[in-house]
Amino acid sequence: MCSTFPRCFPRRSCRSYRVNDLSAPFLACWSRFTTWRRMRTQSGSSTTGTSNSSPEQTLRAGGKWFKKFWRSPTAQTNNNGSSTTDGHPSPTEAEKPVVNPNFEECLEGQYLFEAAQLLIDREKHLFGEITEADAIKAHEEGVKKLAADQKALEKRIEQTVQQSLSLSSEEEWSALTSAVKAINLEEEQDQLWRQRCRTPPAWRPKKWKEHHDKVLHELVYSRLENPSSPTGDQVNLSSIQADIQSMGRQLKEDMQWVVEVVKNCYPPEMDICNFYARQYHQTFSARLRKIADFVLDDKDCSFLLRWVKEFYPGILEKPELASNINTEELGNLLPDELLKPLEEQYLSKQQSDLMIFIGRVLDEAKKEWDQGKEPTRDDGCYVSPVAYDVIQFINGIVTSAHITVRDPHKAQKITSNLTDFMQRYKEFHEDIIRQNKRHSKAFIKANLSCVKQFRDFLITESHLFPKNVRENCLRGLTEMKQSAHTYLLTPVHKILKPHYKKVGTSDWLKKNTFEKLLNSTEEELRELQGLTQSCHQELIGQLQQEMTVEYVRRLLKGEVKLKDKDRQLMAYMTVKENAERLHNLFARMGSKQDWLKEILTKMAEVLKLQDIPAIQMQIFSLGSAYPDLSEKHVSALLKLKTNLSKADRKIVKTTLSDTLKESRADPGTRRFFSKVEVR
């Protein structure tokens, strides 16, 4: 029986109806349907894609015109509020028949799921409980028509799926959703037929899910094969670079479209985002493999490697994609056998570029030296751009390479030749000192600032350098710093030498002797201006230490004889006052070497003390603080006190021997007395 006819019609086969048998209500209904179809045909696509309603509203709206059509003919409401139909009272709302659209109408309206359901119902009817012979004989035309409809639906679904990445209206969005539901419905029907013991129709199994995957694979391939990319973005790019960039841009745009739009048309269990990600990954990978097989120049190699290791992972790491895609399952775009040669070529090029760039910086500095130009001043300090420029090049190139190869150890290869540069810089530095020209001091002061910057950079950014390279460079910088200090301080010591000679003599106990030394030192300190604050602090700290060493050396020569308690007290006061004034002078100039004052103060205490146990304790204190204090130093200091017997001196030295051995085991203690030569 045909269930689509109104219930008021007699229950008989649909085919048994003749025109004369049809009631007036049905004829009116049919007339309105043909009128609607004619209007629908005339309006055509003029209304397609213009709706602003949501996909759900579109579906509901689509259903309404089918349901509205198959209800009873247009009712006219009389003055009493009751409706009439062609002069007859209309049936109640419950009695109004609702007739669903047929297959052709569903196909035309893009209701592909409903169309698939209709075909499955027909399939069940044609291949039901009747025998195969009866089915073939009685329903041959029905089967043929059903097969044709199956092909029509499959074609329409394929067309809809092919438009997945170019949906331009809510109707197309709704159509894709319906197509996906139809595919899943057909998959279920395939499964049901596998479970039956009867011969399935010729079109079973349909494998529409498999065909869906194949269509999307071909769609992805075609989009990467013919990507759309603005021509303005390809200026100054080689053909290989333009090809890679166009594919990458297309991949990025399409994957964003998938997670924002296409995903909503699929049920979660189909995991469509990861499916698309795998298709794009595999297709992009295959294209890049072909490119990597060529012998690429350095620019193309760098561009390809950055896309593989930097840009492509960066696309997948975007939050909107990362939350929908399992990136770990995708793996690398290129296998190791292709990736390793690209990385080696890239890193070698970066290393070569770095050495060229920093070499030019040093050449420019040499050029200014040869021309007799003084370094520029910044806030009164001599400065050189060498360290700043070199550090910028190293930091920029190595950091960029680290991002590209995603391996800090590999990126360190770029700085593996930095020792050669430091050796050239050191030779230039030594040549300035050797020539000792008018502007040599200015250049050395500027170089000291560079040495400080290089040291800080090597220590704080140690991950940019191989360990042996960093250690060699630091060693060379230490030598440069020491040679610069020696060059700048040697003239100072030469001027102060006449004053040094008075220390430890009888004249030394007179106040004006050390006064002259301090005055001369202050004048020379002014000549050391022009350094940056940190470098100036280190330099005058070095001078303070060297002056203290020279002071102790002269004192321990033993030219002055402290025969009694009074002279020993005088010597104590002199050494203590000298220590205080020397400390104040250098502290005023910015030195932070406070510990040097303590050495002279402890030595002065030894000169003052008369009891052997007290002297032992003071020597113990001095030796504990400075474990490089030797018995020679103690013996020379005690010899100044001529009233001490040889036996007393031996007691003091013997008592300290074990203590000094224990103190030397501590690597954190300062060293001072090892620089003081004692005969």
Side-chain angles (χ1 to χ4, degrees):
M1 301 292 287
C2 181
S3 61
T4 60
F5 281 89
R7 294 178 182 174
C8 57
F9 297 163
R11 290 286 184 176
R12 62 176 74 174
S13 171
C14 296
R15 295 182 180 179
S16 65
Y17 276 105
R18 296 188 301 275
V19 174
N20 294 334
D21 296 329
L22 299 179
S23 64
F26 180 80
L27 290 175
C29 181
W30 181 258
S31 174
R32 297 179 68 82
F33 171 64
T34 54
T35 302
W36 173 85
R37 289 295 300 270
R38 189 164 54 253
M39 293 175 64
R40 174 78 172 176
T41 303
Q42 291 172 356
S43 61
S45 60
S46 61
T47 60
T48 302
T50 60
S51 173
N52 293 324
S53 61
S54 66
E56 292 81 357
Q57 292 171 332
T58 304
L59 282 171
R60 288 196 297 268
K64 287 178 180 178
W65 56 260
F66 283 121
K67 294 178 181 179
K68 180 178 179 181
F69 169 75
W70 283 111
R71 293 184 188 275
S72 60
T74 303
Q76 298 176 353
T77 305
N78 58 22
N79 295 333
N80 297 327
S82 61
S83 59
T84 60
T85 305
D86 296 338
H88 300 282
S90 65
T92 63
E93 191 65 28
E95 295 175 339
K96 293 180 180 179
V98 178
V99 181
N100 292 324
N102 61 24
F103 171 76
E104 288 76 10
E105 291 161 347
C106 286
L107 200 64
E108 181 182 356
Q110 296 275 48
Y111 300 104
L112 306 180
F113 171 73
E114 289 78 3
Q117 184 64 65
L118 289 175
L119 296 188
I120 289 175
D121 290 344
R122 286 164 58 187
E123 181 180 277
K124 290 178 180 179
H125 177 71
L126 290 172
F127 296 86
E129 295 299 330
I130 57 177
T131 63
E132 291 189 17
D134 291 338
I136 294 173
K137 184 176 181 180
H139 303 286
E140 183 175 348
E141 287 197 13
V143 171
K144 186 176 181 181
K145 178 65 168 64
L146 179 58
D149 289 346
Q150 294 279 13
K151 289 184 179 181
L153 177 60
E154 181 177 356
K155 182 178 180 181
R156 180 62 60 87
I157 289 178
E158 179 177 332
Q159 292 172 347
T160 303
V161 172
Q162 286 174 339
Q163 297 174 356
S164 297
L165 299 178
S166 56
L167 303 177
S168 59
S169 67
E170 293 179 355
E171 286 78 3
E172 292 178 353
W173 186 93
S174 178
L176 178 59
T177 303
S178 185
V180 172
K181 291 174 65 178
I183 291 171
N184 288 329
L185 184 64
E186 291 291 351
E187 284 291 299
E188 294 175 3
Q189 190 66 12
D190 282 347
Q191 187 63 28
L192 290 175
W193 273 106
R194 291 189 186 98
Q195 297 171 0
R196 293 173 181 170
C197 298
R198 297 195 303 275
T199 302
W203 51 81
R204 292 290 175 193
K206 288 186 175 181
K207 298 182 180 180
W208 275 10
K209 176 62 169 60
E210 182 179 320
H211 185 59
H212 161 273
D213 294 349
K214 182 180 178 182
V215 169
L216 290 187
H217 172 76
E218 294 173 352
L219 173 62
V220 169
Y221 179 84
S222 66
R223 290 182 75 84
L224 291 189
E225 187 72 19
N226 301 290
S228 59
S229 179
T231 56
D233 292 347
Q234 300 182 359
V235 177
N236 300 325
L237 295 180
S238 68
S239 59
I240 290 178
Q241 294 171 19
D243 190 23
I244 295 172
Q245 180 162 297
S246 296
M247 287 190 293
R249 182 185 294 275
Q250 189 70 62
L251 181 151
K252 176 183 177 182
E253 293 175 354
D254 287 354
M255 283 307 304
Q256 287 178 334
W257 178 261
V258 167
V259 300
E260 292 173 2
V261 178
V262 177
K263 180 183 74 171
N264 300 316
C265 300
Y266 285 78
E269 58 270 17
M270 292 189 72
D271 198 15
I272 193 62
C273 293
N274 276 308
F275 177 83
Y276 268 104
R278 288 191 296 271
Q279 298 304 312
Y280 274 103
H281 181 86
Q282 294 166 6
T283 305
F284 195 32
S285 174
R287 290 294 306 276
L288 295 186
R289 288 183 187 215
K290 292 181 180 179
I291 294 174
D293 284 335
F294 289 101
V295 178
L296 303 176
D297 62 28
D298 291 331
K299 290 184 177 180
D300 288 344
C301 170
S302 175
F303 195 86
L304 171 58
L305 189 62
R306 293 193 71 184
W307 259 102
V308 171
K309 303 283 283 187
E310 181 181 352
F311 301 146
Y312 177 69
I315 292 173
L316 299 182
E317 289 169 1
K318 290 184 176 297
E320 58 270 25
L321 296 185
S323 60
N324 289 281
I325 296 173
N326 188 344
T327 56
E328 293 183 0
E329 290 185 353
L330 298 178
N332 294 325
L333 276 175
L334 293 180
D336 289 341
E337 60 267 21
L338 291 177
L339 198 57
K340 187 175 180 180
L342 291 175
E343 289 180 342
E344 290 178 351
Q345 181 180 350
Y346 168 78
L347 292 173
S348 295
K349 173 61 175 174
Q350 298 304 303
Q351 181 188 57
S352 175
D353 287 348
L354 176 63
M355 297 307 295
I356 291 173
F357 296 151
I358 63 179
R360 289 173 181 170
V361 173
L362 186 57
D363 290 341
E364 187 64 27
K366 287 182 177 180
K367 182 179 178 181
E368 292 190 357
W369 160 255
D370 293 335
Q371 293 175 349
K373 296 180 180 179
E374 277 197 351
T376 58
R377 280 179 177 260
D378 183 10
D379 198 19
C381 303
Y382 290 107
V383 293
S384 168
V386 172
Y388 178 83
D389 291 345
V390 169
I391 288 172
Q392 291 301 308
F393 280 126
I394 295 175
N395 195 50
I397 292 177
V398 179
T399 301
S400 177
H402 180 190
I403 296 173
T404 299
V405 300
R406 299 210 165 195
D407 187 332
H409 182 71
K410 290 180 180 179
Q412 288 180 353
K413 177 183 178 181
I414 297 174
T415 57
S416 59
N417 290 337
L418 189 62
T419 307
D420 297 339
F421 167 81
M422 284 297 177
Q423 183 61 33
R424 286 186 59 205
Y425 188 38
K426 182 182 176 184
E427 291 172 357
F428 171 52
H429 177 81
E430 293 172 347
D431 191 46
I432 294 173
I433 294 175
R434 185 172 55 255
Q435 294 187 40
N436 195 26
K437 293 183 179 180
R438 175 186 56 81
H439 57 307
S440 287
K441 285 187 177 180
F443 258 89
I444 294 302
K445 290 177 181 179
N447 280 358
L448 273 175
S449 175
C450 290
V451 168
K452 179 70 166 59
Q453 293 177 63
F454 278 133
R455 284 184 62 84
D456 292 344
F457 181 62
L458 285 164
I459 292 172
T460 58
E461 305 295 331
S462 59
H463 62 282
L464 300 178
F465 312 93
K467 183 178 179 181
N468 64 318
V469 171
R470 185 172 65 91
E471 292 175 349
N472 290 336
C473 289
L474 286 172
R475 190 180 303 113
L477 291 170
T478 299
E479 294 172 358
M480 289 177 65
K481 172 185 170 182
Q482 192 57 50
S483 64
H485 283 187
T486 301
Y487 176 69
L488 295 173
L489 296 180
T490 296
V492 177
H493 290 302
K494 186 176 182 180
I495 293 174
L496 297 179
K497 187 175 183 180
H499 303 293
Y500 290 152
K501 290 181 178 180
K502 301 275 182 80
V503 176
T505 65
S506 299
D507 291 341
W508 162 65
L509 296 176
K510 300 174 183 178
K511 292 185 178 180
N512 62 339
T513 300
F514 195 73
E515 185 75 28
K516 292 178 181 178
L517 175 61
L518 292 177
N519 292 337
S520 296
T521 301
E522 188 169 4
E523 290 178 6
E524 292 305 314
L525 286 174
R526 295 192 184 98
E527 294 297 320
L528 298 178
Q529 300 295 324
L531 289 159
T532 58
Q533 182 179 357
S534 59
C535 293
H536 182 260
Q537 182 176 307
E538 289 184 359
L539 181 63
I540 63 172
Q542 178 74 20
L543 176 60
Q544 183 182 0
Q545 184 173 346
E546 291 177 359
M547 287 186 66
T548 305
V549 168
E550 185 63 20
Y551 185 96
V552 173
R553 189 182 73 82
R554 293 282 179 174
L555 180 62
L556 296 183
K557 285 182 71 174
E559 293 185 11
V560 64
K561 302 302 180 182
L562 307 176
K563 298 178 180 180
D564 53 34
K565 180 179 179 180
D566 292 339
R567 285 184 66 82
Q568 290 173 16
L569 183 59
M570 184 182 296
Y572 157 74
M573 294 177 63
T574 301
V575 174
K576 186 175 181 182
E577 182 183 356
N578 292 167
E580 187 69 31
R581 296 188 66 184
L582 188 65
H583 168 74
N584 291 339
L585 172 62
F586 278 95
R588 191 168 69 250
M589 294 296 178
S591 175
K592 303 297 182 182
Q593 306 294 328
D594 299 340
W595 61 282
L596 295 170
K597 173 186 172 183
E598 181 186 61
I599 293 175
L600 297 181
T601 302
K602 288 182 179 293
M603 292 180 67
E605 289 289 338
V606 174
L607 296 177
K608 181 183 71 169
L609 296 172
Q610 300 299 311
D611 296 334
I612 296 302
I615 294 174
Q616 285 180 299
M617 290 301 297
Q618 194 62 35
I619 293 296
F620 173 80
S621 175
L622 189 62
S624 298
Y626 307 100
D628 59 343
L629 177 68
S630 68
E631 291 184 8
K632 281 187 176 183
H633 295 115
V634 175
S635 179
L637 180 59
L638 294 177
K639 282 181 180 180
L640 295 177
K641 300 166 68 74
T642 56
N643 60 343
L644 280 179
S645 65
K646 186 176 181 180
D648 291 338
R649 294 197 300 271
K650 186 175 181 180
I651 291 173
V652 175
K653 290 187 292 182
T654 303
T655 305
L656 289 176
S657 59
D658 292 338
T659 305
L660 293 176
K661 290 179 182 179
E662 293 177 2
S663 299
R664 288 193 181 96
D666 186 0
T669 54
R670 297 182 185 272
R671 302 183 63 81
F672 174 83
F673 287 97
S674 57
K675 301 175 183 178
V676 180
E677 295 182 4
V678 178
R679 295 180 181 178

